[in-house]
Structure formats: structure tokens, C-alpha cells
Amino acid sequence: MKSAFVLMTLAALAGTSSLAIAQGTTDGILTVATIGEPPTLDAMQTPTDIVLTIDQHIFETLYTYDAEWKSVPLLAAGMPEMSEDGLTYRIPLREGVKFHDGSDFDAKDVVASLTRWMDVNSKGKQVADIVESLTEDGDHAVVIKLKSRYAPLLATLSQASIIIPSEKVADTLTEFVGTGPYALKERRPDQYTQLVRFDDYVSPEGEPSNYAGKRVAIAKEIRFVPVPDANTRVEGLISGQFDFADSLPVSAYERVEQSGNAKPVIYENTGWASLNMNMKEGLLVKKELRQAVQVALNPNDMMLAAFSDDRFFSVDGSIFPQGSFWHTEAGIERYGEGDPEAAAKLLEEGGYDGTPLRLMTSRQYEFHYKIGEVAKAYLEAAGFKVDLQVVDWATLTTRRADSKEWDIFITHSNFPGDPTTINTITDSYPGWYVSDAKAAAVAAYMDATTDEAKKTAWDGIQTVIYDDAPLYKVGNFNAVTGVAAGISDYTPTYWPHFWNVTPKK
């Protein structure tokens, strides 16, 4: 995944999308340059960013994410009715919704789709482990009974758990039929994926907010064109070949801005960069040495080296960015401007013996490499000896699976809809973050049944993460995309979407 994850203000989201909706439908076409060819259109099987970007126009889920990345109804008619023990969820379903093949959406389709999702999707398999039963409750509701409380349930139902007609469910999908504002017309691999307006689409109500609210298929057609080369995407956008171009180099910002034919769009808080530490073997098994890494580093200098301009990054100790429901300052005391003296004291307390700290990074993500260079300088100033190992990304991902091979690796992640799905929280993720304190904090989260209780529990998890120091959050980074000058109502989202967007004349 792109990991992602931006939080636009409600005002901005509402203002631009409302303008688009007011303009009504057109016969225009939107041509979208993507970073490559989707390997499939089955988001259950392959929930990568490119698949989810296209799929969200065709398929819908029971819930989706609003501007705070909270789960809100999409095909569901409301939030679940929960039993007092938090183990039974009754989910009401919207009535009058149709699939692209003309069939009616009902509870049978939901049960069949979610059963397949729990069989084939990685997140779905996690849910399957705690689901006791999934049943229809009439035509317009389903009931999920759990073996134990599972707070991330709605978040996991907000992404790749696409609903398809029960008659189309198969191990391998051969027809891609959904309830979304656009239907698949033609897919020519390495050329384009063509979607056309679904005239019988029934939109959810409400002000547009991230992926929630009113959806109008203003453009008659959307063509997703795979363009793997970033510079080709830039040139095609400027020449007028594309109406939208995804994932542009930050170095192209001024050129697009000055072209007069297109405008750059900064998507804030696309993801976050981190230094992940090995808690299983080597130097950093000792908490004092991991905390010394935290205290030694200067996040602003690392992000400035990586992105050159503060338009493209922000520094924030909270794992989730400002504007997110999950943003909190809990536990971030050791996140600051770099304190070599305090770090040296922790090195002494941890009995550091001068063994080189093996820091792995890759130049395939150039910003990883630049972060690594600055981190090396700060760690050495604190008293560490540092062995900066620069390898290709495939080697890094292979080597990080072996706890004997490294002490720190640099990576980046998106901001998930539920905080407990962050990779590092998983015991088996490279770094092998296992602690009694983490287990207790995560258990408290899983037991929560309200947003307020989840938020309080997440404060506790972040506090434990900062104390245990399995990783060091460097900062948040922004992404650059571009739209044609004639399009004024595009609203940035993590997976770019094109309902409520008017084609240029």
C-alpha cells in the first residue's frame, strides 16, 4: 500500500465537491495517468494503491472513511447496532441500490462477498479468526457475531471488502460488477481501463467528506492510463494529454505550476517516514540504546534533507498527523531537536561498547537514503559508531527478515484508518516488537466499543510505543499530483477519486 493518508479540512472538501455537484453531469471524459498497470481489479485479492484507486469507482463497501478517517456508512444504512457485550453487530443496509448488471443489492450479496473477503484477503483472514457467524437478517440487514471484541472491525470493512452480486462470487472473479458511480466498460492491459457512468447509481446522502457523502458521476467516462515513467506523466499533463497525473516528482512542481496548462496539487500527509529498530537481536535489544537513538535525532534536519522544501513535509511527534481523529501528543517527550548529551548518557546507561550500529537504507527511495545520511551524522555525534549500509530495496526487504543482519532500517508507511493496523504493532513485523506493555495497551484498544474509548486506548498505545522505542518517527511527507488547468473542483484524497469532478471543456 502507498501507503496513505491525508486529512483535508471539512470546509475544503465540502466547498470544492459541492461546486462540482452543482454543475451537473456532462459528456466529458477524464483521462487519468496512473503510476502503472493494475495487476487485477479484484481488490480483495490485491489491495494495492493502484487497484484501490480504480476499484473505488466501480465497487463500494459497507463503510468508508470521512475527512477524519473515521468509518462512516456507504452501503450500510447506518452505524451498527451493537449488543451490550460488544460481540454482536447488526448492520442495516441501504434499500433501492442496484448493481451494474441491474440486480438489487441485498443482504445475500453482503454475506457472500464478506465470506469471500474473509477467505482471500489478508485483513479479512484476521477478521475471520474472531468471527463466530455472519448471517442475513432479512433482505436489508446482516448480523456479525464475534468470538471476542474487535475494535478495528469497521475500519477493516472500509477498504477492500467490496460488495459484489452473490451470483458473481467466485475464487477468481471473471466479471467486475459493483454498485459504484462508474461501471467497467473495457480493460486493455498496458493501454487503459475504461469506466463509464452508471446511470442507475444511487448515491449516499450527505456533504462530501473524503470518501463519504454525495457522489455524482459528472464525467461520462474515466480512462485510467498506465504511465510508469514519472517524467512522462509530467510531460503528458503539461501537453494536455492527461487531465490528472498521479505521483509527480517534487522537482517538477515549479515546471507544472509555470506551464499555464496544468496546476500542481499537494496532497498533505500522504505518509510518514520511520527508522525501525531490531528488538530481537543485536545492539538495540537494550531499551536504553533504542531511547538513545530517539533522543539523538533531529527530525526537521532529516526531513529537510529528504524533501528540500517544507512545502513537502511536516514534523510532528504524533504518529498520526494533525486533523486526524487519532492525533495525540501522548508520550512524545523524547521527540525533539536532537540532544547528543542526553543520548550519550543513555548510551552509558545501556553499556554501549562501541559496536557499529548497522543502519540499512535504499536509494530506490531517495528520501530514505537522505534521511539515513543525516541520521548517521546525529547518531555519531551522540557517540554511536554507525555502519550505513546502502542496498537496493529488494535486498533490504529480504535482509530485514533476518534479525542477525541489521539494527535499523528506514521505511515509510501510510496512515491507516485504524491505528492497530500499523505494521510495527504486529509482533512478527521486522523489528519483532513484543512487550507486555504493548500487549496490554493493544488489548485495551481491542476491548473498546466507542470512538472515545478507542481514542483513550490509542493514547496509551502511542505512549507505550515511545517508551519501548521500536521505531523512530521522522516526519510526515506530502505528495505532488497535477490536474489540467480547466479542472477546478478536484479534491485531493489518498486514493485519488473522480466522482464530483467536472472535465475541462
Side-chain angles (χ1 to χ4, degrees), residues 301-376:
D301 284 357
M302 287 188 284
M303 294 299 284
L304 189 60
F307 295 97
S308 303
D309 188 319
D310 60 11
R311 288 178 297 178
F312 306 123
F313 73 88
S314 62
V315 169
D316 183 358
S318 172
I319 293 178
F320 283 82
Q322 290 188 10
S324 167
F325 177 75
W326 305 110
H327 180 83
T328 176
E329 300 292 322
I332 67 171
E333 289 79 7
R334 280 186 301 277
Y335 186 86
E337 298 181 357
D339 187 339
E341 292 182 4
K345 184 178 179 181
L346 285 165
L347 287 181
E348 184 178 352
E349 292 174 3
Y352 179 60
D353 62 3
T355 301
L357 182 72
R358 296 163 297 173
L359 172 58
M360 277 201 306
T361 190
S362 171
R363 293 203 80 150
Q364 282 175 271
Y365 293 105
E366 186 69 10
F367 72 98
H368 289 191
Y369 171 70
K370 291 177 178 178
I371 286 171
E373 284 189 309
V374 177
K376 178 177 185 290

Side-chain angles (χ1 to χ4, degrees), residues 97-379:
V97 174
K98 289 189 176 294
F99 287 101
H100 301 152
D101 63 0
S103 62
D104 292 323
F105 159 76
D106 60 24
K108 184 178 181 181
D109 304 309
V110 174
V111 170
S113 298
L114 294 187
T115 298
R116 180 179 187 267
W117 172 69
M118 289 189 288
D119 285 340
V120 305
N121 181 265
S122 58
K123 290 286 194 297
K125 290 176 181 179
Q126 291 177 18
V127 172
D129 289 340
I130 52 94
V131 169
E132 181 177 299
S133 63
L134 166 63
T135 57
E136 301 169 35
D137 183 8
D139 289 339
H140 303 298
V142 296
V143 175
I144 301 174
K145 292 186 177 180
L146 305 179
K147 300 173 186 174
S148 59
R149 289 186 180 182
Y150 190 73
L153 181 62
L154 292 194
T156 57
L157 291 175
S158 300
Q159 193 166 305
S161 54
I162 56 176
I163 306 301
I164 57 181
S166 57
E167 299 81 7
K168 309 292 184 185
V169 170
D171 291 340
T172 301
L173 295 185
T174 56
E175 296 180 69
F176 298 92
V177 178
T179 59
Y182 288 90
L184 176 66
K185 181 175 182 180
E186 184 178 23
R187 182 184 174 202
R188 294 193 176 184
D190 298 317
Q191 294 185 52
Y192 60 80
T193 300
Q194 180 187 16
L195 310 185
V196 294
R197 181 191 297 133
F198 177 40
D199 290 330
D200 291 330
Y201 178 65
V202 179
S203 172
E205 295 301 320
E207 198 69 41
S209 173
N210 205 13
Y211 302 101
K214 190 77 171 176
R215 299 179 170 191
V216 177
I218 296 175
K220 183 178 181 179
E221 178 182 324
I222 307 173
R223 287 201 177 205
F224 293 92
V225 180
V227 186
D229 182 73
N231 290 325
T232 304
R233 293 197 295 277
V234 172
E235 296 304 322
L237 177 68
I238 291 173
S239 70
Q241 181 181 359
F242 307 130
D243 298 300
F244 176 88
D246 199 11
S247 298
L248 303 183
V250 295
S251 58
Y253 186 93
E254 277 74 20
R255 184 151 186 270
V256 173
E257 188 174 44
Q258 294 166 10
S259 69
N261 297 323
K263 53 191 176 184
V265 177
I266 292 178
Y267 181 65
E268 294 183 354
N269 301 320
T270 302
W272 56 294
S274 63
L275 281 70
N276 289 49
M277 305 190 220
N278 186 344
M279 293 179 59
K280 188 175 183 180
E281 290 192 64
L283 282 176
L284 300 183
V285 167
K286 294 183 176 180
K287 182 191 287 190
E288 294 87 352
L289 299 188
R290 297 195 304 273
Q291 291 181 343
V293 172
Q294 286 180 318
V295 172
L297 296 173
N298 182 305
N300 193 72
D301 284 357
M302 287 188 284
M303 294 299 284
L304 189 60
F307 295 97
S308 303
D309 188 319
D310 60 11
R311 288 178 297 178
F312 306 123
F313 73 88
S314 62
V315 169
D316 183 358
S318 172
I319 293 178
F320 283 82
Q322 290 188 10
S324 167
F325 177 75
W326 305 110
H327 180 83
T328 176
E329 300 292 322
I332 67 171
E333 289 79 7
R334 280 186 301 277
Y335 186 86
E337 298 181 357
D339 187 339
E341 292 182 4
K345 184 178 179 181
L346 285 165
L347 287 181
E348 184 178 352
E349 292 174 3
Y352 179 60
D353 62 3
T355 301
L357 182 72
R358 296 163 297 173
L359 172 58
M360 277 201 306
T361 190
S362 171
R363 293 203 80 150
Q364 282 175 271
Y365 293 105
E366 186 69 10
F367 72 98
H368 289 191
Y369 171 70
K370 291 177 178 178
I371 286 171
E373 284 189 309
V374 177
K376 178 177 185 290
Y378 272 96
L379 291 169

